[in-house]
């Protein structure tokens, strides 16, 4: 059964990324839904590690776009802005080339549509409620839509009997069969915001339509120390312990 590793919002946190890859074991393909950089201390290391993952499809996120200097920083709060400027100074030519090569729109892979934010606004829109989820599913014909950006590990599932969309936080570690249309978010590897500090990711099994959300503990203390040593905003260190 083909197994696809789905990661998103790594945000320059190499320790979390390595923990995810160690926990994941073997997989056939990699889908990375964007925001490789921003916030954390290891931008080049994360870009290089992701670049080397097997059969990679990788999208551009809003922080990746901002690191390329191609959009105004106005859209970010002061602290996020500081870390973007910090990353701009440190990203190597090779990292920049890779980030530049990433698609800024959504891409289709089989019955799945992949976007960083949402299918109708792939870079910026957050899917956080059922109304937006419904509008987004209307936007594409693909059966499943995979998004990141919100840093919430959750699924928005269409329930045909009720003609409604419901948000589910599915049991971690179980394979859930996605029989109906759904928006699937693997959560964030490097900066979870769903009050669970463990790195979030998922497996997708496209043949059967299985979605398997996963979490793994990692040494966030070492990342917090690197964030502080780099002179990055303290808040980006603090939030890692609470997953907020
Ligand atoms: Zn992000």
């Amino acid at each position: 059964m083909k197994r696809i590793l789905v990661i998103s919002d790594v945000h320059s946190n190499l320790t979390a990324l390595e923990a995810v890859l160690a926990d994941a074991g073997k997989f056939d393909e990699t889908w990375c839904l964007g925001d490789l950089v921003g916030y954390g201390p290891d931008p080049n290391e994360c870009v290089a590690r992701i670049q080397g993952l097997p059969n990679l499809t990788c999208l551009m996120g809003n922080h990746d776009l901002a690191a390329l200097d191609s959009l105004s920083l106005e859209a970010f709060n002061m602290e996020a802005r500081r870390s973007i400027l910090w990353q701009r100074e440190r990203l190597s030519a090779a990292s920049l080339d890779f980030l530049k090569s990433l698609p800024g729109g959504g891409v289709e892979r089989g019955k799945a549509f992949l976007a960083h934010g949402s299918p109708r606004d792939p870079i910026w829109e957050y899917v956080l409620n059922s109304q937006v989820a419904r509008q987004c599913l209307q936007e594409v014909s693909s059966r499943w839509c995979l998004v990141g950006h919100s840093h919430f590990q959750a699924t928005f599932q269409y329930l045909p009997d009720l003609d409604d969309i419901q948000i589910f936080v599915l049991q971690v570690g179980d394979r859930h069969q996605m029989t109906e249309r759904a928006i699937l978010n693997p959560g964030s590897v490097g900066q979870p915001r769903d009050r669970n500090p463990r790195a979030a990711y998922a497996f997708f099994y496209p043949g059967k339509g299985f979605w398997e959300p996963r979490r793994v503990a990692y040494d966030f203390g070492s990342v917090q120390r690197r964030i502080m040593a780099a002179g990055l905003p303290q808040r980006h260190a603090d939030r890692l312990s609470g997953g907020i």
Side-chain angles (χ1 to χ4, degrees):
M1 190 160 58
K2 188 177 178 183
R3 188 186 212 204
I4 300 172
L5 175 74
V6 187
I7 54 174
S8 190
D9 299 277
V10 171
H11 283 300
S12 305
N13 184 340
L14 185 67
T15 311
L17 177 60
E18 291 295 359
V20 162
L21 295 174
D23 187 63
K26 282 204 164 112
F27 49 92
D28 307 291
E29 216 176 298
T30 313
W31 292 350
C32 174
L33 306 179
D35 273 4
L36 290 71
V37 302
Y39 298 125
D42 323 304
N44 290 307
E45 294 81 353
C46 287
V47 171
R49 191 71 170 98
I50 291 166
Q51 224 174 331
L53 294 174
N55 298 313
L56 175 70
T57 296
C58 186
L59 307 181
M60 185 181 284
N62 52 318
H63 283 258
D64 306 320
L65 186 61
L68 297 172
D69 205 3
S70 45
L71 103 164
S72 143
L73 287 171
E74 313 252 306
F76 294 87
N77 68 41
M78 279 304 287
E79 287 165 329
R81 221 180 279 186
R82 250 175 75 199
S83 83
I84 289 162
L85 293 170
W86 183 90
Q87 315 242 354
R88 274 189 198 165
E89 286 168 15
R90 279 158 189 85
L91 282 166
S92 66
S95 299
L96 287 170
D97 281 349
F98 181 68
L99 294 178
K100 269 181 217 155
S101 75
L102 301 177
V107 299
E108 227 177 307
R109 289 286 178 274
K111 289 181 188 164
F113 187 90
L114 282 51
H116 175 64
S118 84
R120 60 179 181 177
D121 184 352
I123 297 275
W124 290 103
E125 186 174 44
Y126 292 91
V127 182
L128 284 170
N129 61 54
S130 52
Q131 193 189 349
V132 172
R134 177 184 283 271
Q135 289 160 356
C136 287
L137 279 178
Q138 281 163 359
E139 199 76 12
V140 287
S141 54
S142 306
R143 181 157 190 178
W144 300 293
C145 191
L146 278 67
V147 301
H149 194 39
S150 70
H151 300 208
F152 273 72
Q153 186 177 61
T155 62
F156 297 81
Q157 210 170 335
Y158 180 65
L159 305 176
D161 295 348
L162 303 171
D163 185 30
D164 196 12
I165 293 205
Q166 280 190 359
I167 305 173
F168 291 95
V169 177
L170 298 171
Q171 183 66 39
V172 167
D174 288 351
R175 284 178 194 173
H176 304 269
Q177 188 149 31
M178 297 287 114
T179 48
E180 302 299 334
R181 300 192 70 207
I183 295 182
L184 311 169
N185 191 322
S188 166
V189 171
Q191 197 197 80
R193 292 180 193 160
D194 45 11
R195 301 196 171 272
N196 177 349
R198 291 179 298 154
Y201 72 104
F203 282 120
F204 184 55
Y205 303 80
K208 299 248 181 204
F210 286 142
W211 180 248
E212 183 184 340
R214 296 179 66 128
R215 302 300 282 240
V216 60
Y218 73 97
D219 178 13
F220 55 73
S222 71
V223 185
Q224 291 173 318
R225 287 190 289 278
R226 291 204 302 286
I227 286 176
M228 296 316 293
L232 285 161
Q234 170 139 20
R235 178 167 149 73
H236 298 167
D238 290 347
R239 65 192 310 175
L240 296 181
S241 13
I244 47 171

